[in-house]
């Protein structure tokens, strides 16, 4: 126990010092190919040897799920709050095609790819794997979404897609888990549950987001609230939408995204407090989430790494993602480079890990540990490849900014503001 205590103190000290150093050098780091997820996943890997002393695998996995849930709720709410409906009306065609056409095609092609790479997987588990690896991660895509080099309609499309496809992928995830589960008992009502989650989630999100925005407007107009308390309202609204949706049977992540979108568009004052929070305390959560992933989840992925898992990871990050997105954008007027750019930045992250952990808890899945390892490896490779390519590719696509906007307007008018 004493040794474990020392290990924990040393681990905590190293993590805190690294967090301080990163914060001090954050502006300089942002100009390089290094990203926050990449650095803290690497730090997590370095800390991995001492993590067994901190608790049992079940306890550590529960901690990982909790941190991932909290981080994902805040990231979804924050990203959605920056989406402006007035601007989206001019660019809705791109993310709509990526979601309605590109995402189902990705799941189909992904299922075929998994079966081709490892025929012993079986159709049900192949479908579940594809559904788990289809959602993209807003947290991993922040470098591209916030880059001033990337044309607005492209960054907005990545942001909207990453926010919505988590919830849209959930029915496919549940359906795949039902089919793959070794225990058929109690699964009869799960299809209805999946439908209920997709319907009730947005309803709760709209109600909570609208109510919170109107209430905050009301008290701010009467000067009843101090500026520092606005961040508390933001936090409360994000988690109220998530928890209220879960209580009534809806999907909390869909609710959080919808609540953020409604809040950001209904609220009549400046929402700087959301950005300020995510640049401070919110960034600490993101650091913690990727550090925990690197320390607890990625080592399992590396331990189970073989040629089929590597092939699955690389295929989902390349042609399984890029081909469907490219096809879905036919007729939009986008240049080939813009379509490839949108296809490439389908970063995998917290959503895939979180959904996998949840399905493992709720279903008796065959080869569950191998499935988690495969998903973890895919996310780890995504952190590396998308992290090192984000800055140079953002600058590259930015060099065509004027022509890209003009080309985008051919299929769907783009806002130049």
């Amino acid at each position: 126990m004493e040794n474990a205590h020392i290990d924990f103190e040393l681990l905590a000290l190293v993590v805190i010092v690294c967090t301080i150093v990163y914060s001090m050098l954050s502006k300089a780091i942002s100009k390089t190919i290094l990203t926050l997820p990449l650095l803290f996943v690497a730090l997590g890997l370095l800390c991995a040897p001492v993590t067994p002393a901190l608790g049992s695998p079940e306890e550590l996995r529960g901690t990982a799920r909790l941190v991932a849930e909290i981080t994902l709720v805040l990231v979804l709410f924050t990203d959605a709050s920056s989406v402006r409906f007035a601007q989206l009306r001019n660019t809705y065609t791109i993310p709509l095609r990526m979601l309605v056409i590109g995402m189902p095609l990705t799941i189909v092609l992904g299922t075929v790819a998994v079966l081709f790479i490892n025929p012993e997987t079986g159709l049900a588990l192949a479908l579940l794997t594809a559904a788990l690896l289809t959602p993209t991660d807003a947290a991993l895509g922040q470098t591209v979404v916030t880059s001033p080099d990337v044309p607005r309609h492209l960054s907005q499309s990545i942001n909207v897609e990453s926010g919505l496809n988590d919830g849209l992928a959930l029915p496919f995830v549940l359906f795949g888990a039902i089919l793959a589960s070794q225990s058929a008992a109690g699964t009869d009502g799960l299809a209805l549950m999946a439908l209920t989650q997709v319907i009730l989630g947005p309803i709760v999100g709209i109600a909570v987001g609208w109510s919170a925005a109107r209430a905050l407007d009301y008290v701010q107009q009467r000067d009843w609230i101090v500026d520092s308390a606005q961040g508390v309202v933001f936090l409360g609204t994000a988690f109220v939408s998530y928890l209220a949706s879960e209580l009534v049977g809806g999907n909390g992540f869909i609710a959080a995204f919808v609540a953020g979108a409604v809040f950001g568009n209904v609220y009549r004052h400046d929402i700087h407090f959301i950005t300020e929070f995510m640049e401070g305390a919110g960034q600490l959560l993101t650091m913690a989430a990727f550090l925990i992933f690197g320390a607890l989840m990625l080592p399992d992925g590396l331990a189970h790494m073989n040629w089929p898992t590597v092939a699955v990871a690389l295929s989902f990050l390349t042609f399984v993602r890029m081909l469907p997105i490219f096809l879905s954008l036919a007729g939009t007027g986008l240049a080939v480079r813009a379509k490839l750019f949108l296809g490439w930045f389908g970063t995998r992250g917290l959503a895939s890990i979180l959904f996998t952990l949840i399905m493992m808890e709720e279903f008796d899945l065959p080869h569950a540990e191998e499935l988690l390892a495969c998903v973890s490896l895919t996310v780890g490779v995504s952190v590396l490849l998308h992290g090192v390519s984000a800055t140079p590719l953002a600058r590259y696509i930015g060099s065509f900014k004027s022509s890209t906007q003009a080309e985008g307007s051919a299929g769907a008018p783009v806002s130049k503001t």
Side-chain angles (χ1 to χ4, degrees), residues 7 20 38 49 101 104 164 169 197 216 233 249 262 282 295 306 309 319 323 359 410:
D7 284 341
I20 293 172
L38 180 58
I101 301 174
L164 288 177
Q197 287 196 340
L216 188 55
V233 175
V262 173
N306 51 38
T309 56
F319 74 90
L323 180 58
M359 291 305 107

Side-chain angles (χ1 to χ4, degrees), residues 320-335:
V320 169
R321 156 74 183 186
M322 297 178 72
L323 180 58
I325 293 300
F326 191 91
L327 294 176
S328 71
L329 297 175
T332 58
L334 287 175

